[in-house]
Amino acid sequence: MITGKNFIGEKASAKGAKTYRTYDPKKNNETEWTFHEATKEEIDLALKKATTAFKAYKGIPGTEKAKFLRAIAEEIEALGDPLIQAYVTESGLPEGRAIGERGRTMGQLRAFADLLEEGSWIEATIDTAQPERKPLPKSDIRKMMEPLGPVAIFGASNFPFAFSTAGGDTASALAAGCPVIVKSHPMHAGTGELVSLAVIRAAKRTGMPDGVFSNLNSSGIEVGQQLVMHPQIKGVGFTGSIKGGMALYKLANERPEPIPVFAEMGSINPVVALPSALEEKGDHWAAQYAGSITLGAGQFCTNPGLILGIKGKPLDNFVAKLGQDIIQIAPSAMLHPNIHKGYEQGKKELSSQGETAIVASYDGDSPSNYGKQKVLTVSGTDFLKNSVLHREVFGPFSLVVQCKDERELENVLLHLDGQLTGTILGNAEELRQYGIIVDALKSRVGRIIFNGVPTGVEVCPSMQHGGPFPASTDSRFTSVGVSAIKRWVRPVSYQDWPQELLPEALKNNNPLNIMRLVNGTYTDKKI
Ligand code: NAP
């Protein structure tokens, strides 16, 4: 049952007088659930518990933390249909998507559990002493990754499971050894409360300290701001708008002790269609992209918002077919009336730039809050002159840029903001022939795709989900895949430390049996 309370560690709490409700975008009315916004006192208590919990949690062996993560996955599954129904009600997304995203979320938790059980992620690096070294003896130095401390995680609107309460940010931070305080997303606070219950049940079941996880409700920016400013918070994870991400990034950097903010923000995910793709497979790619642009009402950070090609008949044919195909697709509900409003505004703003022409615009009747797809086109020259056209329109929208030649195409790519993904459609020979284009695209993105669509992010160790600013605030890290753990740790070196007092990972006899870099060689052998 959804109570609308916060979780301050294991304890449900509703001290705040300010309340709000979530919204059912399909029915276009408020849900029956009322949520209590967290108070300053509750935030402070969550931080106090998290700080105490950190002292114990960081020292708990990885294998035990792995049991905790696996238990969270089990408890999420045990919530059964009521959880799926809360997700569907609060997001307007279909049941199939909810079930798929729940599976992905449980898979992420288990992937981090596997990582902890294997253990080498800690990057143990050992350089043994050389007392006889001349002119000076060398100390014994041993380094490994250690957790930052309590972190604040902001749930994302567009992934109520996989990028929210127990999503990739939370799973990676808990795996790293950091207690987590979630700032629940106000659009799906009920889903968040149920998932929080699963995390707390799992923590109790596996003997984790009270305060290792808290969930705070809020429908305004104050709770998030207080969290980021709190001296006991040591890192922040965020997925959402550039405006929100940058506000938090700025706040974090203005603290007496600045802290890292890993914000994943806007991306229009450019797609370059090379000649062979348009000449030989134009119809195929038009159908694929009509589907990709409208998938999930276009509410994916990897939605293809920009398609680039070189002017000519094949590009004209592709554009016409894309328009025909996309108009056949029935619109679907967007996540919230505010997201829908933002989409309509963004569409209007780009459409009103005089240089654009309409390729397709769904003008049929549809219920409130449904995202009606639109595709525009513009010349490369006009695109370069007008930065408004470079903006993300979050929803089923895309802009086709028709460049006069390869040089202009390269120029357009070099003038784009940083992106999560870039896609090339063509053949392998063209990848060599258009090496300059490929290089220009690669310089702006975190993931480069050949002959595919950018929507659909595989969760695996080799995935990079993060790119040059403003796709993310730090392009060296990913928010998807097990490498995401690296955001929540820092290296610590132990110099001439007594053997018996070293962390297990750094002891000579390698009790954890992990791969380590010993005197320049990777090995799992004892020293
Ligand atoms: P958002 O407005 O950035 O909000 C995300 C979270 O950050 C919310 O919990 C919000 O709290 C908080 N927040 C926002 N501004 C803040 C500030 N100045 N200080 C403290 N906290 C702040 O994103 P959204 O609500 O999910 O969606 C709005 C738009 O973001 C979308 O239309 C879309 O353009 C973009 N978006 C992009 C992606 C992506 O992956 N690139 C994903 C989702 C959304 P409150 O809501 O409580 O104020």
Side-chain angles (χ1 to χ4, degrees):
M1 199 190 76
I2 293 170
T3 65
K5 293 182 181 175
N6 302 278
F7 280 109
I8 312 300
E10 293 168 2
K11 199 163 181 300
S13 177
K15 297 213 158 66
K18 189 174 166 196
T19 59
Y20 64 98
R21 285 181 174 221
T22 49
Y23 207 85
D24 182 333
K26 269 191 157 162
K27 291 194 181 142
N28 201 24
N29 57 23
E30 284 189 328
T31 67
E32 64 194 284
W33 307 308
T34 303
F35 298 89
H36 291 263
E37 181 128 354
T39 62
K40 167 112 187 29
E41 190 192 339
E42 286 170 321
I43 298 170
D44 285 343
L45 188 56
L47 256 309
K48 198 170 162 211
K49 281 192 168 188
T51 305
T52 308
F54 180 54
K55 290 181 189 153
Y57 188 60
K58 67 182 173 187
I60 290 175
T63 46
E64 295 302 309
K65 291 192 186 98
K67 286 183 192 153
F68 174 33
L69 298 180
R70 290 192 196 286
I72 299 174
E74 285 161 16
E75 294 289 347
I76 288 175
E77 194 160 34
L79 289 169
D81 197 48
L83 176 66
I84 297 297
Q85 292 318 318
Y87 173 114
V88 169
T89 302
E90 292 185 321
S91 69
L93 296 168
E95 191 172 305
R97 158 79 191 268
I99 292 168
E101 195 183 322
R102 181 182 60 180
R104 171 182 167 165
T105 305
M106 295 188 306
Q108 288 173 171
L109 287 156
R110 290 177 177 135
F112 282 107
D114 290 346
L115 187 81
L116 296 186
E117 282 159 359
E118 195 282 328
S120 308
W121 73 273
I122 209 151
E123 294 178 16
T125 307
I126 299 172
D127 294 298
T128 49
Q130 295 172 11
E132 313 304 331
R133 193 181 71 174
K134 298 281 186 261
L136 291 172
K138 180 179 167 291
S139 295
D140 180 288
I141 305 181
R142 301 176 183 224
K143 182 169 77 170
M144 62 179 266
M145 293 296 177
E146 304 220 349
L148 295 180
V151 299
I153 302 296
F154 286 71
S157 59
N158 58 342
F159 278 91
F161 288 151
F163 283 84
S164 287
T165 321
D169 285 342
T170 296
S172 56
L174 290 176
C178 299
V180 167
I181 299 185
V182 170
K183 203 299 251 173
S184 164
H185 199 288
M187 293 179 195
H188 46 73
T191 310
E193 181 184 326
L194 293 177
V195 175
S196 297
L197 200 60
V199 180
I200 285 158
R201 283 177 182 156
K204 283 187 185 166
R205 226 178 87 189
T206 54
M208 296 297 141
D210 184 15
V212 73
F213 176 87
S214 288
N215 183 56
L216 303 179
N217 294 324
S218 93
S219 62
I221 61 177
E222 296 78 14
V223 169
Q225 288 175 337
Q226 284 172 29
L227 262 182
V228 171
M229 292 300 287
H230 201 290
Q232 301 304 332
I233 285 287
K234 302 298 178 192
V236 178
F238 170 92
T239 302
S241 64
I242 295 180
K243 191 164 159 249
M246 286 315 293
L248 296 174
Y249 182 79
K250 207 161 161 257
L251 265 188
N253 281 287
E254 282 167 3
R255 288 168 39 128
E257 181 202 359
I259 50 168
V261 174
F262 299 101
E264 192 230 295
M265 305 176 288
S267 186
I268 53 175
N269 306 296
V271 178
V272 177
L274 292 175
S276 77
L278 297 172
E279 284 158 18
E280 295 157 26
K281 294 182 118 187
D283 285 3
H284 165 78
W285 288 122
Q288 293 285 310
Y289 273 85
S292 178
I293 294 164
T294 52
L295 190 71
Q299 302 164 117
F300 286 115
C301 40
T302 51
N303 187 60
L306 194 72
I307 301 174
L308 306 140
I310 295 171
K311 259 186 194 151
K313 192 117 188 59
L315 182 58
D316 289 345
N317 291 344
F318 166 81
V319 168
K321 183 74 171 43
L322 175 63
Q324 281 165 19
D325 288 354
I326 205 163
I327 225 72
Q328 305 300 323
I329 297 171
S332 46
M334 297 195 80
L335 295 161
H336 190 271
N338 289 345
I339 299 263
H340 181 254
K341 199 167 133 209
Y343 173 58
E344 287 298 324
Q345 269 168 4
K347 235 176 19 171
K348 202 166 148 199
E349 197 170 25
L350 264 74
S351 309
S352 67
Q353 306 301 307
E355 311 90 329
T356 58
I358 296 175
V359 173
S361 178
Y362 188 97
D363 292 324
D365 283 341
S366 66
S368 322
N369 305 323
Y370 276 52
K372 295 183 184 184
Q373 55 270 35
K374 190 160 193 173
V375 178
L376 300 178
T377 187
V378 70
S379 74
T381 314
D382 287 333
F383 182 81
L384 281 166
K385 280 193 223 147
N386 186 349
S387 63
V388 173
L389 297 171
H390 298 216
R391 285 189 196 155
E392 179 183 18
V393 179
F394 192 68
F397 173 89
S398 198
L399 176 65
V400 182
V401 180
Q402 309 205 16
C403 300
K404 62 178 181 237
D405 53 24
E406 195 183 329
R407 177 169 279 224
E408 188 172 73
L409 178 53
E410 182 197 4
N411 209 8
V412 166
L413 291 171
L414 292 174
H415 283 85
L416 290 179
D417 285 339
Q419 307 290 338
L420 289 172
T421 75
T423 302
I424 302 264
L425 308 179
N427 61 41
E429 179 51 37
E430 285 173 313
L431 287 185
R432 276 187 277 275
Q433 198 184 333
Y434 290 87
I436 289 171
I437 301 292
V438 176
D439 261 12
L441 183 63
K442 205 164 69 173
S443 72
R444 310 308 305 131
V445 308
R447 173 163 61 111
I448 189 152
I449 300 153
F450 182 52
N451 281 344
V453 292
T455 39
V457 182
E458 187 69 40
V459 182
C460 58
S462 50
M463 178 50 70
Q464 175 60 21
H465 193 68
F469 182 84
S472 51
T473 43
D474 195 333
S475 63
R476 295 169 299 171
F477 296 91
T478 177
S479 59
V480 174
V482 288
S483 309
I485 199 171
K486 293 190 177 162
R487 297 173 299 168
W488 316 116
V489 289
R490 65 186 179 89
V492 175
S493 286
Y494 294 80
Q495 186 163 331
D496 291 329
W497 213 246
Q499 260 302 307
E500 64 281 13
L501 297 179
L502 277 168
E504 300 286 278
L506 299 179
K507 285 184 173 158
N508 276 353
N509 61 351
N510 194 10
L512 302 181
N513 203 22
I514 56 175
M515 283 301 281
R516 310 187 293 184
L517 186 62
V518 179
N519 295 324
T521 303
Y522 282 104
T523 174
D524 59 1
K525 296 211 166 66
K526 295 176 184 176
I527 296 171

